[in-house]
Amino acid sequence: MVGMEVSGTSARVTAREAGLVACRACARVWPAETERCGRCGARLVSRDTASLQKVWAWWIAGLVCYIPANLYPMLVTETLVQSSSNTIVGGAVEIAHHGAYGIAAIILIASVLIPVGKFMAIAFLAISARRGSHVPPTRRQHVYEIVEFIGRWSMIDVFVVAILSALVQLSSVASITPGPAALTFALSVVFTMLSAQSFDSRLIWDRARKNRRDDTQ
């Protein structure tokens, strides 16, 4: 937002109203007629008119992948005498039974709490951008930034499976292989990250300004 003094009072105008456009990749501001960012080369658009459609498309794809990620085994362990497999929650419960409560809590937070929270937060942002919300735009902007920041930590389960599979080399005695849930969980994380990145956070402020204009009329 750009602050301007008009007739002795403080009025705020957006970069769009001031004839400027900001790059979504590096945040550099350019004149509105500029087509590409001179710093990073990204294409400049004042608003992505298909932003919400992209958000919902990636969101649904992520949700579809997240369901089997919790139903199928994440890790399959085979020994000479037995074979066992565990889902995300089942694996965390088994780890807790062995006394590693901290690791179990981390897995549950990264694999259940964070993904579910991301689904809810992205849906809230998309709905509020379309219909408006009583939540202040600054708080919704903070929600968006938090979703963007924590998205990478949702991959912790996939990292653990990959590390275990690489470390266990006793193929004649035991073997650890990723289960079907590893792929679907990774896809779910990637799709939700794309959903969050597709959201044009400027829509938050557009809707807030529209609501203020409606209230003053």
Side-chain angles (χ1 to χ4, degrees):
M1 304 292 285
V2 180
M4 299 182 63
E5 294 292 332
V6 180
S7 301
T9 62
S10 178
R12 292 191 175 187
V13 299
T14 64
R16 189 181 191 182
E17 294 170 339
L20 303 171
V21 60
C23 176
R24 292 196 64 198
C26 67
R28 179 69 183 269
V29 177
W30 301 91
E33 62 274 9
T34 308
E35 295 184 356
R36 289 197 172 272
C37 177
R39 173 187 287 175
C40 66
R43 190 171 67 91
L44 300 176
V45 291
S46 179
R47 294 294 185 274
D48 185 356
T49 56
S51 173
L52 295 183
Q53 290 90 328
K54 295 176 184 177
V55 169
W56 285 117
W58 291 120
W59 188 91
I60 293 172
L63 182 62
V64 169
C65 290
Y66 186 70
I67 294 174
N70 286 273
L71 298 178
Y72 291 100
M74 173 66 76
L75 194 67
V76 178
T77 305
E78 295 182 355
T79 64
L80 293 176
V81 295
Q82 66 176 358
S83 175
S84 63
S85 59
N86 289 299
T87 61
I88 296 175
V89 176
V93 172
E94 184 172 344
I95 291 174
H97 285 165
H98 288 81
Y101 299 106
I103 297 177
I106 291 174
I107 291 176
L108 286 176
I109 291 173
S111 304
V112 179
L113 184 61
I114 290 179
V116 172
K118 283 179 61 179
F119 281 120
M120 296 175 62
I122 294 173
F124 164 72
L125 291 172
I127 293 173
S128 64
R130 175 71 70 181
R131 301 182 179 179
S133 173
H134 295 295
V135 179
T138 51
R139 292 188 180 179
R140 282 183 280 160
Q141 181 70 30
H142 291 159
V143 170
Y144 170 73
E145 293 172 356
I146 291 173
V147 169
E148 282 272 82
F149 176 76
I150 67 176
R152 69 200 73 173
W153 296 104
S154 301
M155 278 286 196
I156 189 169
D157 266 1
V158 180
F159 293 154
V160 170
V161 171
I163 291 172
L164 286 176
S165 301
L167 290 178
V168 177
Q169 301 294 336
L170 303 175
S171 57
S172 60
V173 178
S175 65
I176 295 179
T177 56
L183 176 61
T184 56
F185 187 85
L187 289 174
S188 176
V189 172
V190 171
F191 289 152
T192 52
M193 289 176 66
L194 290 173
S195 178
Q197 291 176 358
S198 298
F199 180 75
D200 191 345
S201 61
R202 294 171 294 190
L203 297 175
I204 297 174
W205 303 97
D206 288 346
R207 187 70 195 188
R209 290 177 64 83
K210 182 178 183 300
N211 290 341
R212 283 198 295 268
R213 287 196 298 267
D214 292 343
D215 291 340
T216 56
Q217 290 177 357

